[in-house]
Amino acid sequence: MKFVLWVLVNALALGAAVWLLDGITLDGDTDQDKVLTLLGVALIFGVINAIVRPVVKLLSLPFIILTLGLLIFVINAAMLMLTSNIAGELDLGFHVDQFWWTAIWGAVIISVTGTLLSVVEPDD
């Protein structure tokens, strides 16, 4: 059950970023196609955040300390771009246009939305 909630929270956070930013696009003919694509991208995004992101944060820890934590925004944006690249390779209709504007703001929106939704979700 927790896994399903985890994917749904990621999907809603990614959906918020798609809705708020023009540079993040989600393709699909029908609403059902878009929801399925969003769930697939949320699964990819969750796996990347569970496996790749901790390694990158550990390796860049001195730079995170040096920049007083601001590098975490860049790391989150890089994980969003990686998700976009993998989704493109898997022919999912999810694309992030550019790194500095779209991916960074998208990462901020996803982080805030994900945090708000995780506060609302019930504890076990």
Side-chain angles (χ1 to χ4, degrees), residues 58-94:
L58 180 65
L59 293 175
S60 62
L61 187 61
F63 298 109
I64 291 172
I65 293 169
L66 185 67
T67 61
L68 302 175
L70 291 177
L71 186 63
I72 291 177
F73 290 118
V74 177
I75 292 171
N76 290 344
M79 297 304 110
L80 186 59
M81 290 297 292
L82 181 60
T83 301
S84 174
N85 289 339
I86 291 173
E89 291 294 323
L90 295 175
D91 289 329
L92 293 173
F94 180 78

Side-chain angles (χ1 to χ4, degrees), residues 27-101:
D27 298 332
D29 295 333
T30 63
D31 288 339
Q32 183 179 5
D33 289 342
K34 289 181 181 180
V35 168
L36 291 175
T37 300
L38 200 56
L39 288 173
V41 172
L43 188 61
I44 294 168
F45 186 67
V47 169
I48 287 172
N49 279 335
I51 297 172
V52 178
R53 185 172 171 233
V55 173
V56 172
K57 283 176 72 174
L58 180 65
L59 293 175
S60 62
L61 187 61
F63 298 109
I64 291 172
I65 293 169
L66 185 67
T67 61
L68 302 175
L70 291 177
L71 186 63
I72 291 177
F73 290 118
V74 177
I75 292 171
N76 290 344
M79 297 304 110
L80 186 59
M81 290 297 292
L82 181 60
T83 301
S84 174
N85 289 339
I86 291 173
E89 291 294 323
L90 295 175
D91 289 329
L92 293 173
F94 180 78
H95 181 69
V96 179
D97 285 342
Q98 55 181 313
F99 183 79
W100 285 112
W101 173 252

Side-chain angles (χ1 to χ4, degrees), residues 13-26 77 80-81 94-111 113:
L14 286 164
V18 168
W19 182 59
L20 291 171
L21 296 174
D22 291 333
I24 301 177
T25 57
L26 181 68
L80 186 59
M81 290 297 292
F94 180 78
H95 181 69
V96 179
D97 285 342
Q98 55 181 313
F99 183 79
W100 285 112
W101 173 252
T102 308
I104 293 216
W105 280 110
V108 169
I109 290 169
I110 291 167
S111 296
T113 307

